[in-house]
């Protein structure tokens, strides 16, 4: 034992120097007691290295330490923990060195270590070469864990430098029959290894299929494993991998027959590719007579429920073939066919109806009753044929009078009073800081509450807000990339600037400069609105620090942003009583928010305001007696594929406007309406712009138009969320509002299209849709290429199916002639993708609403040759308008 100490010292010295070969030589032949004596010193060195910086010279010892520590542990569990430790992970000894220093252990010990390493998660990054070497040295059973199997797959794929193929490597590996089946039990294996399972003669897929031919792998087991994995897996990458393998195995007819229940189940798979394969296999079994009519009916029920029109149509074709081959199955199959009567695609409905018409005589009365119930779901234009085919009384399917179903008209809510206690106020401030801050009512009452409580007692409020503001970075005293003053210099960051002023985190000089001069010059089209919003916040923050106001004059009465004139007069009276000085931005915003639709109330409020005898009262009285803000002139301009609006200078703004408000009086030009600006990233501020000019949404919409056009033209996401708020706002819904909605209906992303549909329905519920104007806009935008027909069709179909068929038809009745005219002019030029879908939506709306009359250029489209969707739907629409059926 006396010789152990020098060996220990020599080993530690070699490890520190990073001399792996010398350390391995010292470890050779050590007894277990000698190894245990060396271990404490190695653990101390590990602690020392963990504390060292990443670029320290001492870190070169890590690979040697990794090997020596593994060798000096005498238990397999300790060795496995040392080898896979997180601090060792990025600087390990090579597998060859580890196998050298561990190779003199007993085979049982080595096998135990191999299993423990294979049981580690993939994040432990255990080298496959180490695990495989331990298996080889120990002679133990090969592990089938995720870590080992994935390592094996990657190892097989990485040996391409030798010039052989995956197939040759798998043939030579004695563990292939054990490890391949284990692949099917690894969760999400496709996502991790999809890149390895491509197509081609030298791919894994081809190699596995070939090995089944050579009886290296059991073909039946592999087929069962593929099917079982597809049945339980929905991860797209898994589906791709195992479907490729199943396809490459090319199941024989007998193998397909043995798995009929599996194909029927896979037809409902979430992945359309898997469902399509299952349908194709089931179809082949149907044509060979191996699928009974009941099983085919079960398959039909599954497929007709799917949204993929291609699968639905293929199933109807298969049913037609089956019925031609054996009409006796009609009693089982036709009720399943009739379930397609409720499909949203009328082409599918018609295909199903044709089968019913052809084979209805083969079914019993019970099946006829079942089909008659389903026939009520047919489009109106097909019901007459169903009546004749099923021998029904025409009154059974008589259409009901059409009734337009629209959402309830939204009403603005009255703002609740600001929070009474500082604790409640602090809670609401915390909610706004954690949320997007786009709730105008919550924001306004909370801002008013802050101003009120500062006036009552700054210290108590600051104490309550301290924990809430602690989440803001500018509360931290540590070093930052920029200062709080720089952070608040160009934008107030919502309520944050008021909190920072209250808590002393921003200099008064910074607030004064921002309050007096506003942000740096910004040519952006949104700046006129954002400058007003920001000015109020900077002013509130500055007055919090220098001259607290008792409350805010501009806090709206209603959530729409409108302020009752008598309420503003009462607030000015209270200011006069308290001797308080109104904020310039706050008072000007209050003037712009005054509700002006009740002339008697305006006149009475003007009298009371003048009676206050103050300058503010006189200014308010003059404003109430004036005509208010008038609508500017508008002009249409084109920019590329876009149609945009320009506004002239609005008249009637309040006198003596502060600097931040003067942008409201400037014209809006197309050249100034750039697509991107700093406001693009501050979308929660947009609802507040509608409250800057409540009752004047056209002025706001014109400034948002260029940006909203990007959802259709540049396919930008999540810009159209402001559209429902535009529709709910007060004021005229003119060209700007309707153009904004038009772009939204053609948006690339579904959530933006849904926002536009909501806006359209709200406008319809309020009786504010200019159907002809919107239709002309949509026709022009589709012709110019700004809006794609298919996206527009999806939006309008969604709107119609909510019950607004009349609204959608009134829009399409104007839009379609514009598009049909272009089609007639272009002669045989191929129509834009989605035009047929637009006509289908129009035909559905016309059928349900009982529309009749002519439509310009529709006849030319209906008389085209062929049976394309455009032609068939044009014929359907023409027939509907000529017949005038109503649902």
């Amino acid at each position: 034992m006396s010789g152990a100490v020098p060996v220990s010292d020599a080993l530690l010295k070699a490890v520190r120097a990073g001399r792996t070969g010398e350390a391995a030589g010292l470890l050779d032949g050590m007894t277990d007691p000698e190894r245990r004596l060396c271990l404490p010193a190695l653990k101390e060195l590990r602690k020392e290295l963990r504390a060292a910086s990443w670029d320290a010279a001492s870190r070169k010892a890590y690979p040697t330490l990794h090997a020596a520590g593994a060798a000096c542990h005498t238990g397999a569990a300790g060795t496995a923990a040392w080898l896979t430790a997180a601090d060792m992970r990025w600087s390990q000894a090579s597998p060859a060195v580890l196998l050298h220093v561990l190779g003199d252990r007993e085979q049982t010990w080595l096998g135990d270590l191999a299993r423990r390493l294979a049981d580690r998660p993939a994040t432990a990054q255990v080298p496959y070469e180490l695990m495989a070497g331990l298996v080889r040295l120990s002679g133990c059973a090969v592990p089938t864990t995720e870590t080992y199997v994935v390592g094996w797959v990657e190892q097989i794929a990485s040996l391409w430098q030798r010039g052989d193929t995956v197939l040759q490597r798998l043939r030579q590996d004695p563990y292939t029959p054990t490890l391949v089946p284990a692949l099917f039990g690894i969760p999400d294996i496709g996502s991790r290894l999809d890149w390895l399972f491509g197509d081609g003669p030298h791919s894994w897929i081809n190699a596995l299929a070939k090995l089944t031919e050579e009886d290296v792998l059991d073909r039946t087991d592999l087929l069962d494993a593929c099917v079982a994995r597809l049945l339980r897996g929905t991860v797209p990458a898994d589906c791709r991998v195992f479907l490729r393998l199943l396809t490459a195995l090319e199941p024989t007819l007998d193998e397909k027959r043995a798995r009929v229940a599996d194909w029927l189940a896979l037809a409902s798979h979430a992945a359309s590719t898997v469902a399509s394969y299952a349908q194709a296999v089931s179809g082949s079994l149907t044509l060979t007579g191996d699928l009974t009519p009941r099983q085919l009916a079960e398959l039909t029920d599954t497929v007709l429920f799917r949204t993929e029109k291609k699968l639905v149509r293929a199933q109807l074709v298969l049913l037609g073939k089956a019925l031609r081959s054996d009409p006796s199955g009609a009693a089982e199959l036709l009720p399943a066919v009739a379930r397609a009567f409720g499909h949203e695609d009328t082409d599918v409905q018609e295909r199903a109806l044709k089968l019913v018409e052809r084979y209805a005589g083969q079914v019993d009365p019970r099946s006829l009753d079942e089909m008659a119930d389903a026939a009520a779901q047919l489009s109106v234009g097909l019901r007459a044929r169903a009546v004749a085919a099923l021998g029904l009384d025409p009154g059974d399917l008589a259409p009901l009078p059409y009734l337009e179903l629209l959402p309830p008209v939204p009403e603005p809510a009255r703002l609740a009073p600001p929070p009474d206690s500082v604790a409640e106020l602090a809670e609401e401030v915390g909610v706004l800081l954690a949320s997007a801050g786009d709730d105008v009512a919550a924001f306004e009452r909370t801002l008013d509450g802050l101003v009120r409580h500062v006036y009552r007692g700054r210290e108590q409020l600051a104490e309550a807000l301290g924990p809430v503001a602690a989440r803001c970075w500018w509360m931290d005293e540590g070093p930052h990339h920029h200062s709080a003053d720089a952070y608040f210099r160009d934008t107030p960051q919502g309520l944050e600037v008021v909190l920072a002023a209250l808590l002393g985190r921003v200099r008064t000089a910074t607030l004064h400069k921002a309050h007096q001069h506003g942000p740096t010059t910004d040519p952006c089209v949104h700046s006129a609105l954002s400058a007003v919003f920001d000015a109020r916040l900077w002013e509130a923050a500055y007055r919090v620090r220098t001259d607290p106001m008792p409350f805010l004059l501009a806090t709206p009465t209603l959530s729409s942003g409108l302020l009752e004139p008598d309420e503003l007069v009462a607030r000015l009276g209270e200011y006069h009583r308290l001797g308080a000085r109104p904020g310039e931005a706050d008072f000007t915003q209050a003037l712009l928010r005054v509700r002006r639709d009740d002339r008697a109330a305006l006149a009475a409020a003007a009298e009371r305001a003048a009676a206050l005898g103050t300058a503010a009262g006189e200014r308010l009285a003059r404003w109430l007696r004036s005509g208010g803000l008038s609508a500017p002139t508008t002009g249409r301009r084109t920019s590329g594929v876009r149609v945009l609006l320009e506004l002239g200078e609005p008249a009637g703004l309040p006198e003596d406007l502060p600097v931040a408000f003067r942008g409201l009086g400037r014209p809006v030009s197309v050249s100034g309406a750039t697509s991107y600006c700093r406001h693009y990233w501050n979308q929660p501020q947009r609802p507040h712009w509608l409250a800057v000019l409540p009752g004047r949404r056209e002025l706001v919409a014109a400034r948002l138009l260029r940006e909203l056009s990007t959802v259709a033209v540049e396919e930008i996401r999540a810009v159209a969320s402001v559209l429902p708020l535009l529709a709910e706002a007060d004021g005229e819904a003119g060209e700007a509002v309707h153009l904004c909605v038009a772009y939204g209906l053609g948006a690339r992303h579904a959530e933006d299209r849904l926002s536009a549909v909501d806006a359209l329905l709200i406008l319809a519920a309020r009786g504010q849709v200019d159907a002809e104007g919107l239709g002309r806009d949509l026709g022009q935008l589709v012709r110019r290429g700004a809006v794609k027909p298919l996206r527009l069709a999806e939006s309008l179909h969604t709107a119609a199916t909510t019950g607004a068929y009349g609204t959608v038809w009134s829009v399409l009745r104007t839009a379609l002639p514009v598009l049909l005219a272009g089609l007639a002019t272009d002669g045989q030029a191929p129509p834009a993708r989605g035009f047929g879908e637009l006509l289908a939506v129009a035909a559905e709306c016309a059928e349900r609403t009982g529309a009749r009359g002519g439509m310009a250029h529709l006849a030319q489209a209906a008389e085209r040759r062929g049976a394309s969707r455009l032609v068939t739907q044009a014929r359907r629409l023409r027939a509907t308008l000529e017949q005038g059926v109503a649902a």
Side-chain angles (χ1 to χ4, degrees):
M1 189 68 66
S2 60
V5 175
V7 172
S8 176
D9 290 345
L11 177 62
L12 188 62
K13 189 173 182 179
V15 170
R16 282 188 177 277
R19 297 193 291 269
T20 305
E22 181 181 338
L26 292 170
L27 289 165
D28 286 343
M30 271 193 186
T31 63
D32 282 355
E34 289 174 332
R35 294 175 192 271
R36 283 193 288 269
L37 281 176
C38 296
L39 192 57
L42 295 176
K43 289 182 177 179
E44 287 300 318
L45 177 57
R46 179 182 174 185
K47 290 180 182 178
E48 178 186 325
L49 292 180
R50 270 203 298 252
S53 60
W54 179 253
D55 57 352
S58 59
R59 284 192 169 266
K60 66 182 181 181
Y62 257 113
T64 310
L65 176 62
H66 188 237
C72 289
H73 277 84
T74 55
T79 302
W82 181 278
L83 286 170
T84 58
D87 58 322
M88 299 282 191
R89 194 165 297 160
W90 304 109
S91 191
Q92 299 183 6
S94 68
V97 169
L98 292 172
L99 290 172
H100 173 78
V101 299
L102 297 172
D104 57 354
R105 305 297 181 93
E106 294 180 357
Q107 284 188 319
T108 304
W109 189 94
L110 292 172
D112 187 16
L113 177 59
R115 285 188 292 272
R116 290 177 183 275
L117 292 177
D119 285 335
R120 295 280 169 163
T123 53
Q125 298 180 358
V126 182
Y128 169 75
E129 295 87 344
L130 174 60
M131 294 185 290
L134 291 171
V135 169
R136 185 177 61 254
L137 291 174
S138 66
C140 68
V142 62
T144 56
T145 64
E146 178 178 351
T147 295
Y148 194 93
V149 174
V150 170
W152 174 74
V153 171
E154 292 175 341
Q155 176 74 2
I156 292 290
S158 66
L159 298 178
W160 58 270
Q161 296 94 335
R162 295 180 180 177
D164 55 3
T165 65
V166 170
L167 177 59
Q168 291 169 331
R169 294 167 219 153
L170 289 173
R171 278 197 193 113
Q172 295 163 6
D173 194 319
Y175 298 118
T176 292
T178 303
L179 294 175
V180 167
L183 273 172
F184 295 86
I186 297 175
D188 202 16
I189 186 68
S191 299
R192 299 183 57 186
L193 300 176
D194 190 21
W195 62 279
L196 292 176
F197 291 94
D199 298 320
H202 300 300
S203 68
W204 264 82
I205 298 297
N206 185 70
L208 293 177
K210 190 69 176 175
L211 291 177
T212 62
E213 297 174 9
E214 299 172 3
D215 291 331
V216 176
L217 297 173
D218 187 278
R219 177 180 175 82
T220 301
D221 289 347
L222 211 59
L223 279 170
D224 288 340
C226 280
V227 172
R229 186 58 185 265
L230 289 173
L231 283 170
R232 74 172 186 266
T234 57
V235 178
D238 279 358
C239 295
R240 283 194 299 271
V241 168
F242 294 108
L243 182 59
R244 282 176 191 160
L245 179 55
L246 182 59
T247 305
L249 290 172
E250 298 180 349
T252 64
L253 181 58
D254 288 338
E255 290 169 337
K256 292 176 181 178
R257 287 174 180 149
R259 296 170 177 82
V260 167
D262 294 329
W263 310 131
L264 297 179
L266 286 174
S268 62
H269 199 280
S272 61
T273 52
V274 176
S276 178
Y277 178 81
Q279 183 194 37
V281 173
S282 301
S284 66
L285 292 174
T286 298
L287 299 179
T288 57
D290 293 300
L291 215 65
T292 67
R294 183 176 295 277
Q295 289 172 325
L296 181 56
E298 180 185 341
L299 175 68
T300 301
D301 284 341
T302 299
V303 173
L304 294 185
F305 182 73
R306 300 188 66 91
T307 58
E308 299 93 340
K309 295 178 183 178
K310 182 178 179 181
L311 293 183
V312 173
R313 290 169 181 167
Q315 187 65 21
L316 291 174
V317 170
L318 175 63
L319 287 166
K321 292 179 179 178
L323 286 168
R324 281 196 300 273
S325 174
D326 183 13
S328 64
E332 291 276 5
L333 295 178
L334 285 190
V337 171
R339 291 184 181 90
F341 290 172
H343 198 277
E344 63 178 15
D345 188 349
T346 55
D347 285 347
V348 171
Q349 293 182 16
E350 186 170 12
R351 287 170 186 247
L353 181 58
K354 285 180 179 179
L355 289 176
V356 170
E357 288 173 328
R358 187 173 301 165
Y359 297 102
Q362 305 287 332
V363 302
D364 52 61
R366 181 180 174 183
S367 298
L368 281 174
D369 291 342
E370 191 175 343
M371 289 187 286
D373 292 338
Q377 303 175 69
L378 283 167
S379 68
V380 180
L382 297 175
R383 290 185 187 178
R385 289 170 54 184
V387 167
L390 300 175
L392 303 176
D393 185 333
D396 293 341
L397 297 181
L400 297 173
Y402 176 72
L403 177 64
E404 185 88 343
L405 298 177
L406 295 171
V409 177
E411 297 290 342
R414 192 174 186 87
L415 258 67
D420 272 338
S421 67
V422 292
E424 184 184 355
L425 177 62
E427 184 177 340
E428 296 203 7
V429 169
V431 170
L432 282 175
L433 289 179
S435 66
D438 55 357
D439 186 332
V440 174
F443 183 89
E444 290 288 348
R445 66 187 295 270
T446 304
L447 179 61
D448 187 34
L450 283 171
V451 171
R452 287 174 184 266
H453 282 285
V454 168
Y455 187 80
R456 296 174 190 172
R458 180 193 308 270
E459 292 74 15
Q460 186 182 5
L461 179 59
E463 183 180 354
L465 290 173
V468 175
R471 72 184 69 179
C472 300
W473 68 266
W474 40 262
M475 285 293 290
D476 185 4
E477 298 285 0
H480 300 286
H481 292 297
H482 54 268
S483 66
D485 290 279
Y487 180 62
F488 293 115
R489 187 173 296 133
D490 292 328
T491 176
Q493 313 294 340
L495 287 180
E496 287 188 47
V497 71
V498 181
L499 297 181
L502 173 63
L503 299 172
R505 297 296 179 176
V506 60
R507 293 186 304 163
T508 305
T510 300
L511 296 173
H512 180 261
K513 182 178 179 181
H515 169 51
Q516 292 295 320
H517 305 291
T520 55
T521 302
D522 187 353
C524 160
V525 71
H526 311 106
S527 59
L529 299 168
S530 66
V532 173
F533 179 72
D534 292 347
R536 288 186 64 218
L537 290 167
W538 273 315
E539 180 179 76
Y542 179 66
R543 292 288 295 269
V544 159
R545 184 70 64 79
T546 60
D547 181 17
M549 297 178 284
F551 50 82
L552 292 177
L553 295 171
T555 302
T557 307
L558 301 174
S559 58
S560 61
L562 288 172
L563 173 59
E564 294 293 346
D566 56 345
E567 192 168 341
L568 179 54
V569 174
R571 291 175 186 176
L572 278 180
E574 183 64 12
Y575 258 65
H576 180 51
R577 187 185 70 80
L578 296 172
R581 178 172 61 88
E584 190 179 42
D586 183 39
F587 185 37
T588 306
Q589 175 65 93
L591 296 178
L592 292 173
R593 284 180 169 173
V594 168
R595 188 167 66 89
R596 308 188 65 89
D597 57 355
D598 187 339
R599 293 189 177 183
L602 287 176
E607 291 295 329
R608 291 195 298 274
L612 293 176
T614 63
E618 287 293 336
R619 186 182 178 195
L620 174 58
R622 290 193 299 273
W623 172 248
L624 295 177
R625 289 169 180 152
S626 72
L629 188 62
S630 63
T633 59
T634 61
R636 289 196 166 216
R637 297 289 184 272
T638 58
S639 176
V641 299
R642 290 178 172 86
V643 176
L644 301 174
L645 288 180
E646 291 188 331
L647 299 183
E649 295 184 6
L653 283 167
E655 58 192 24
D656 301 325
L657 285 176
V659 173
F661 287 73
R662 293 173 188 170
L664 297 175
R666 300 191 184 106
V668 175
S669 67
V670 170
S671 59
T674 55
S675 299
Y676 300 98
C677 63
R678 66 185 181 89
H679 302 103
Y680 177 79
W681 308 109
N682 191 15
Q683 295 190 32
Q685 200 184 87
R686 291 182 180 84
H688 298 280
W689 295 346
L690 287 163
V692 168
L693 292 172
R696 295 292 180 184
R697 59 179 163 182
E698 274 291 287
L699 298 180
V700 179
R703 289 176 165 84
L704 291 172
L705 183 55
R706 179 70 181 241
E707 185 177 359
L708 280 166
S709 71
T710 63
V711 300
V713 180
E714 273 99 20
E715 304 186 344
I716 304 298
R717 183 189 292 271
V719 178
S721 57
V722 73
L723 285 175
L725 299 177
L726 264 179
E728 292 176 10
D730 293 315
E732 177 193 4
E735 287 183 283
V737 170
H738 282 79
L739 267 174
C740 287
V741 173
Y743 282 116
L745 291 172
R748 161 67 176 83
H749 299 285
E751 62 267 32
D752 288 313
R753 293 198 297 272
L754 286 175
S755 293
V757 168
D758 287 344
L760 176 62
L761 295 176
I762 292 169
L763 290 172
R766 300 180 71 183
Q768 297 174 340
V769 172
D770 176 6
E772 291 189 7
L774 181 58
R776 284 193 301 270
D777 288 342
L778 288 170
Q780 186 176 5
L781 292 176
V782 171
R783 286 288 302 272
R784 296 180 64 84
V787 167
K788 290 182 170 55
L790 185 59
R791 297 174 186 171
L792 176 59
E794 290 175 357
S795 296
L796 293 179
H797 177 261
T798 301
T801 52
T802 66
Y805 291 97
T807 298
V808 173
W809 169 246
S810 65
V811 172
L812 284 174
R813 184 154 206 162
T814 303
L816 285 175
V818 178
L819 303 177
L820 292 169
L823 199 62
T825 303
D826 297 338
Q828 295 300 315
R833 180 171 175 261
F835 199 177
E837 278 69 19
L838 265 179
L839 285 166
V841 175
E844 177 74 8
C845 293
E847 288 173 353
R848 289 182 177 269
T849 58
R852 65 180 65 203
M855 177 179 287
H857 310 293
L858 179 60
Q860 293 94 317
E863 290 166 5
R864 283 178 160 230
R865 294 180 180 177
S868 68
R869 185 159 177 79
L870 185 152
V871 173
T872 57
Q873 293 303 320
R875 292 169 183 168
R876 174 189 171 196
L877 178 57
R878 181 177 64 172
T880 300
L881 294 178
E882 290 173 352
Q883 295 171 6
V885 292

